[in-house]
Structure formats: structure tokens, C-alpha cells
Amino acid sequence: MKNNDIIIIGAGIVGLATAYKLKEAKPNLKITILEKENDIALHQTGHNSGVIHSGIYYKPGSLKAINCKTGYDQLLKFCNDNGIQYELCGKIIVAFEQKELASLENIYKRGVENGLSGIKKINQEEIKEREPYCSGISGIFVPQTGIIDYKEVAKKYRDIFLEHGGELKLGHKVIGIKQQSGVNHIETNVSTFESKWVINCAGLYSDKIAKLTDDVDLQIIPFRGEYYDIKKEKQYLVNNLIYPVPNPDFPFLGVHFTRMIKGGIEAGPNAVFAFRREGYTNTDIDIKELWESLTFRGFQKVAVKYWRDGLYEMYRSYSKRAFVKALQRLIPDIQSEDIIQGSAGVRAQACDSKGNLIDDFLIYEKNGVINVCNAPSPAATSSIAIGQTISEKILSRL
């Protein structure tokens, strides 16, 4: 039995940021991170597109909006203090049809409400000045958006945590949690630990960990985002980041172009229902996990609501031609031979039994356990703010 003040489950960027903030506030706390993999940041953190998000899309007053704004400032300071490379290159959000202009205006208004200074409406000529090969009739320039490698950020969180006496146990998959007399008994495939508090930052398996101690009405539905890489000789087509106006009836941003901090241009992602929680290819299937998703009443309601969009996303997953057609709305000159298959990531999207795809960060607290049950984008940008929020919750009760 390993006695701890706090056990954190999951060594992704949110779990590591939480550990870092706790140790920063109270260095004497005995804190252990349990991670099922043999390294940190191997899933959502290690497979994202490396964008520093401005917070322009999020509902004012929501946890996403608040934490993205606060976390953005904290992230930049952390990078400056620790020599982590990033670049605030800005992005444009582009409308192609008259019917998209109302949605574009709503995005601009949200940006203003969320306190983004310097965002600017741009016309067709100004779009061409920033992105000469981009089509569009109107747009928004967002100067706060940047690019970064979140693996490097996660590694620095880890290093600081360990330097302050924290413990990281790799290869420890949590298989059970029992609560007795105010103490949590956490069983892994290797050992058993005791702690006063448990923080669940298990990402794609956060719902399963939450259900070990609480009856939560949600399930993680995995959505894979697939990318293509633009060949080097055609990377001149994109200067920085180019996004479409998102479909207001579909809860994803649509395929876009992203310049990477370490070089290269990514195109994507789509948003495909994945056949397993860590399914990074369209042939990667886990029968048990697939069955859990398909038989979950909430997912069935989502499938009925979004079946047209879902089928189209699936079609684009198998058809490079369809994927290129979507990219050509942004850059008409892009051709199928200009791109090659790139990476993929899986988004842990929480869904309740009523068929609601949870649109905000979702954090449950009960009986010595804090469950981070929905932390998709912009969680990486917001990681220090989320970690600080969780830290303050626990420290006020210890």
C-alpha cells in the first residue's frame, strides 16, 4: 500500500498540469500520477494539431471560454519562463457563401464578448493579402491564435513536478477504486495505492474511471480526426492557419489548414466516429468498445440527429477525393497529388443518455474524487487554468 495525499489518474496534459499546480502551491504534498502507458502524453495530448486557441468560438461565461482566456495567458508565460518554442502567427476564419455571413458575424461577436482584442473583420482583398491562395468573400483575422508542440509543454510540466518530489508511475492501469473511512484504495494492474483524494484525468477512459466511484450519466464517444500532410513543394499555398466558418448544426470546426511549429502544413481533421477509443485508423476496431458505443442510448440519439453529417465524415475518411474537395473550398489550387496521409487523433467527446454532446468542460466532485469527464479542445491551451481550478478545489478542503 502506497500512502498519498493525492493520486492523479492519467499523464496527459491536464493531469500533468494539475500535478504541477498542486506541487507549486504545496510542495510537501505526496502526489503520485498513475499512467497506464509507458510514456506520457501518448493519446489526445500527443495527437492534437498543436494550436494555441484564442477562445473565439466558445459561449461567453462557459468554462471553455473562461479557462481558455486565463489558460492562454498562463501558457504563454509558462513557455516564456521555460524556453518552450511557440509562435503567435494568427489565423483567418473564412466565409465562402452569403449564407455563412451571419454565422461569421456571430463568431466575431463572441470573440469581442470573450475579450479578444485586435480581432478584425477582413474582406476578400484582405484575405488574399494574408493568404494569397485562399478563396472567400469575407473573414475574421484572429491575431491571438498560435502554434506549439504540446508534447514539449507536457514534458516540462512532468519535469517540474518530479523536481518537486512528485512520483510518476508508468505502466499502471487503474482497475478498481474502493472508498473506506474517507480513504481511496486505488488498485492498478501492478500495485495498490491509498490516497485522500483522487483526480481522474483519464481522457478517453475518464467515464469508466468515474463510474468506479459515482453513477455519472455520460459516456465517452470517440471521434477520430484524420489529417493529410501537404507535400513540401506545395506548402507555399498556405502561410499560417486557415479555418472555414463551422457548420452551426454540427459540433466540429470542419477541415482546415494548420502550419506546424516544427515545420510542415497539416490539412484536416475530419470528425469520424471511431470503432475503438484509441482507434487511430479506420481499420482499428475493438468489438467490446464498439458495442458499448452503439448500444448506448445517448449515442443512438446523436446518430439519429447527425446521421447525414456522420455519413459524410465517414465517406471522407475512406475517400481521398472527397477530402480534397472539402479542402478546395479553402484553397482551390490544392490537388489530390499534393497531399499524403498524415497523423490522426481521437477526441474524447462526452455524451449523456439524452443524446447531448457535452459542449463545455465537465468536472464532477464527490466524496474525495474529482472527475474531469469532458476536456476536449481547448483543454491543452487551458491546461494550467484547469489544473489551477482543480488544485484550488482540493487545497481548500485538505
Side-chain angles (χ1 to χ4, degrees):
M1 304 289 283
K2 313 288 186 181
N3 295 312
N4 294 265
D5 294 303
I6 301 165
I7 290 286
I8 298 173
I9 302 171
I13 198 165
V14 172
L16 291 165
T18 301
Y20 154 65
K21 292 303 292 183
L22 281 164
K23 270 294 186 182
E24 180 184 62
K26 292 285 185 180
N28 293 331
L29 286 175
K30 184 169 175 51
I31 304 172
T32 299
I33 303 174
L34 303 177
E35 167 56 50
K36 70 182 178 67
E37 304 291 358
N38 291 319
D39 201 355
I40 66 165
L42 290 186
H43 293 291
Q44 290 188 103
T45 304
H47 287 83
N48 71 38
S49 58
V51 174
I52 301 174
H53 290 284
S54 65
I56 193 169
Y57 297 109
Y58 313 123
K59 182 179 178 181
S62 66
L63 289 177
K64 280 188 176 182
I66 293 168
N67 283 277
C68 189
K69 182 67 171 68
T70 304
Y72 177 96
D73 295 334
Q74 292 171 323
L75 176 65
L76 298 193
K77 183 179 185 306
F78 182 85
C79 291
N80 290 332
D81 290 346
N82 291 281
I84 296 173
Q85 181 187 10
Y86 70 93
E87 181 183 343
L88 300 181
C89 55
K91 78 172 180 180
I92 60 172
I93 305 169
V94 183
F96 306 96
E97 304 174 62
Q98 289 289 329
K99 66 181 181 181
E100 295 178 318
L101 294 180
S103 294
L104 188 70
E105 179 65 22
N106 288 336
I107 292 171
Y108 179 81
K109 289 178 180 177
R110 277 199 170 181
V112 172
E113 288 183 70
N114 286 333
L116 299 185
S117 61
I119 59 173
K120 179 184 177 184
K121 297 178 184 178
I122 54 177
N123 59 30
Q124 192 168 22
E125 291 73 25
E126 291 170 312
I127 291 172
K128 290 291 186 182
E129 287 174 9
R130 297 183 182 278
E131 296 289 350
Y133 296 92
C134 179
S135 67
I137 60 173
S138 186
I140 301 170
F141 173 63
V142 187
Q144 289 86 354
T145 303
I147 53 177
I148 196 169
D149 184 346
Y150 282 116
K151 285 183 182 178
E152 296 302 315
V153 178
K155 288 175 183 176
K156 183 55 69 173
Y157 291 161
R158 175 201 61 193
D159 293 347
I160 295 173
F161 169 69
L162 294 177
E163 287 167 7
H164 285 80
E167 273 198 286
L168 171 62
K169 298 290 186 182
L170 300 173
H172 278 65
K173 180 180 179 180
V174 173
I175 57 178
I177 302 174
K178 294 180 180 178
Q179 297 179 312
Q180 186 176 7
S181 303
V183 177
N184 293 287
H185 301 264
I186 303 99
E187 182 184 359
T188 76
N189 58 321
V190 177
S191 186
T192 303
F193 300 80
E194 286 184 352
S195 73
K196 299 172 186 175
W197 281 88
V198 172
I199 305 172
N200 166 19
C201 298
L204 285 157
Y205 290 92
S206 58
D207 59 331
K208 290 185 176 292
I209 297 297
K211 289 174 183 178
L212 295 176
T213 60
D214 197 3
D215 184 22
V216 294
D217 177 29
L218 61 85
Q219 185 164 313
I220 295 296
I221 304 298
F223 286 92
R224 185 174 60 256
E226 300 160 333
Y227 291 89
Y228 282 87
D229 294 327
I230 300 181
K231 291 180 179 179
K232 190 171 183 178
E233 60 268 23
K234 288 300 178 104
Q235 290 175 11
Y236 67 86
L237 293 172
V238 178
N239 286 333
N240 289 302
L241 282 69
I242 310 172
Y243 284 62
V245 173
N247 179 354
D249 298 321
F250 194 57
F252 299 98
L253 293 179
V255 296
H256 48 269
F257 293 92
T258 306
R259 181 164 65 84
M260 309 300 289
I261 192 68
K262 292 187 176 180
I265 307 286
E266 280 189 340
N270 51 12
V272 186
F273 169 60
F275 300 149
R276 63 175 294 178
R277 295 192 185 213
E278 294 170 357
Y280 296 108
T281 69
N282 53 24
T283 58
D284 203 352
I285 301 173
D286 183 298
I287 297 299
K288 181 181 177 182
E289 291 184 353
L290 176 60
W291 182 250
E292 286 175 347
S293 293
L294 293 176
T295 56
F296 177 52
R297 183 60 178 158
F299 174 72
Q300 292 170 358
K301 293 179 179 179
V302 169
V304 169
K305 184 177 181 179
Y306 296 113
W307 70 271
R308 290 181 186 274
D309 296 293
L311 282 178
Y312 178 59
E313 294 292 322
M314 192 69 70
Y315 171 57
R316 283 199 308 201
S317 176
Y318 288 91
S319 170
K320 184 179 181 181
R321 181 180 177 183
F323 204 106
V324 171
K325 186 176 180 180
L327 296 175
Q328 286 173 336
R329 291 192 74 215
L330 292 162
I331 304 288
D333 289 351
I334 201 85
Q335 301 297 321
S336 181
E337 61 268 22
D338 299 333
I339 62 174
I340 56 175
Q341 193 73 49
S343 61
V346 180
R347 170 177 174 149
Q349 176 62 59
C351 176
D352 66 22
S353 60
K354 295 179 182 179
N356 298 309
L357 294 176
I358 308 303
D359 189 44
D360 205 358
F361 295 150
L362 186 61
I363 301 174
Y364 288 103
E365 178 188 345
K366 185 178 179 181
N367 298 333
V369 180
I370 293 180
N371 291 298
V372 182
C373 287
N374 197 59
S377 181
T381 304
S382 311
S383 56
I384 297 179
I386 297 172
Q388 182 172 320
T389 298
I390 297 170
S391 173
E392 289 171 353
K393 281 179 179 290
I394 289 182
L395 294 177
S396 68
R397 290 158 176 74
L398 281 175

